[in-house]
Amino acid sequence: MTPSLRNRKGFAASSLIGILGGLIGLGGAEFRLPVLVGMFKLPTLEAIVLNKALSLVVVTAALIFRAKAIPLDQLGAHLDVVINLLAGSLVGAWWAAGHAMTMSRTWLNRIILVLLIGLSLVMLSEAFFGVSGSGIPLFQSRILQVGTGLVAGFGIGTVAALLGVAGGELLIPTIVLLFGLDIKLAGSLSLTVSLPTMIAGFARYSQSNAFAVLQQEASLFRWMAVGSILGSAVGGLLLGLVPTHLLMILLGVILLISAIKTFQHVH
């Protein structure tokens, strides 16, 4: 595949993923990872690093785009939620990235397969049951709430580091159900948790030889970054055009199939 063809395919794939992700309020990083490994034949760890870099760009752009919808002072009013989840997610991201760099690629592929299957099942469950909370925190006890937030944050940080994703599909239900907040507010709060978490994982991966992929695939990265941002913007403008639960079902099934096809036999 010639460099120009790779760039065009990267732009097209990331644009499509961005549009579909934007339609349901996600960045689409979980779909980019199978594309990077399956279509562009990147080694798994290098694909994670490149996906992480792309996610950083997309989440930063999303925070800027959402600044008008959710004012910063409204986010600041729930800073305790962000700090609670970050206290766990930063540790989880650093720990998981460190282990990903040292474990065998076979085990890394197996773990990624399990995590992607898990995310697809989360998407399907959200499609069928929704994530609209009661507006009441899951626990009335502050100690229980904070403790659960730390554990949930650690798990989300681990998933984010191992897949190179922002983790919004896990953060949003956690914020809605555990803290009893509105789903629109939870979407913006999830971005404020995701960005530092991804930076922590990214910093950890910088100590790996796989980090060189950012220089080796600089052209592909630029084209996919532009495609991802444009796609997310278009998807956001088309929000509501397609019933969200039907789209979630479709994307959940696509993620399940692509994960199994890409990582079951990858070497």
Side-chain angles (χ1 to χ4, degrees):
M1 192 186 302
T2 64
S4 60
L5 179 58
R6 291 177 91 248
N7 292 339
R8 290 197 298 273
K9 283 190 173 183
F11 177 81
S14 59
S15 297
L16 178 59
I17 291 170
I19 291 172
L20 294 175
L23 282 169
I24 58 174
L26 296 177
E30 52 280 295
F31 297 96
R32 280 200 306 267
L33 188 58
V35 168
L36 290 170
V37 174
M39 180 184 293
F40 297 109
K41 309 302 179 186
L42 292 181
T44 306
L45 190 58
E46 281 77 357
I48 293 172
V49 172
L50 192 62
N51 199 31
K52 176 71 73 177
L54 288 165
S55 295
L56 276 170
V57 173
V58 173
V59 168
T60 302
L63 266 173
I64 295 172
F65 293 152
R66 291 180 71 100
K68 293 182 180 179
I70 304 290
L72 290 177
D73 58 341
Q74 192 173 349
L75 295 179
H78 299 283
L79 192 60
D80 57 327
V81 173
V82 175
I83 293 174
N84 188 181
L85 291 171
L86 271 178
S89 66
L90 291 174
V91 176
W94 189 267
W95 175 83
H99 280 70
M101 292 188 298
T102 57
M103 73 173 63
S104 72
R105 296 301 172 95
T106 300
W107 271 105
L108 183 59
N109 289 329
R110 289 172 180 171
I111 291 172
I112 288 174
L113 174 60
V114 171
L115 291 178
L116 287 176
I117 290 175
L119 285 180
S120 70
L121 295 178
V122 168
M123 292 180 67
L124 290 172
S125 65
E126 289 178 5
F128 286 110
F129 304 109
V131 291
S132 55
S134 61
I136 302 173
L138 185 62
F139 300 111
Q140 296 304 313
S141 168
R142 183 62 177 165
I143 295 176
L144 276 177
Q145 188 182 62
V146 170
T148 305
L150 288 172
V151 173
F154 181 87
I156 292 168
T158 299
V159 173
L162 288 174
L163 299 181
V165 302
E169 55 278 89
L170 299 176
L171 278 168
I172 293 174
T174 298
I175 294 171
V176 170
L177 299 175
L178 180 59
F179 299 99
L181 298 180
D182 173 72
I183 190 167
K184 186 177 179 181
L185 175 60
S188 290
L189 287 173
S190 73
L191 292 174
T192 62
V193 176
S194 294
L195 191 57
T197 301
M198 288 192 297
I199 290 173
F202 199 62
R204 190 74 166 106
Y205 280 127
S206 68
Q207 302 171 15
S208 167
N209 292 333
F211 205 73
V213 71
L214 295 179
Q215 182 176 0
Q216 297 163 0
E217 299 289 351
S219 181
L220 178 63
F221 170 78
R222 287 192 295 269
W223 280 97
M224 291 192 72
V226 172
S228 296
I229 293 173
L230 287 177
S232 297
V234 172
L237 293 174
L238 298 177
L239 191 64
L241 189 64
V242 181
T244 302
H245 71 284
L246 292 180
L247 196 58
M248 289 281 280
I249 293 172
L250 174 62
L251 293 180
V253 172
I254 290 174
L255 180 58
L256 181 63
I257 294 172
S258 63
I260 293 173
K261 289 186 66 175
T262 302
F263 290 97
Q264 190 174 23
H265 303 295
V266 72
H267 296 287

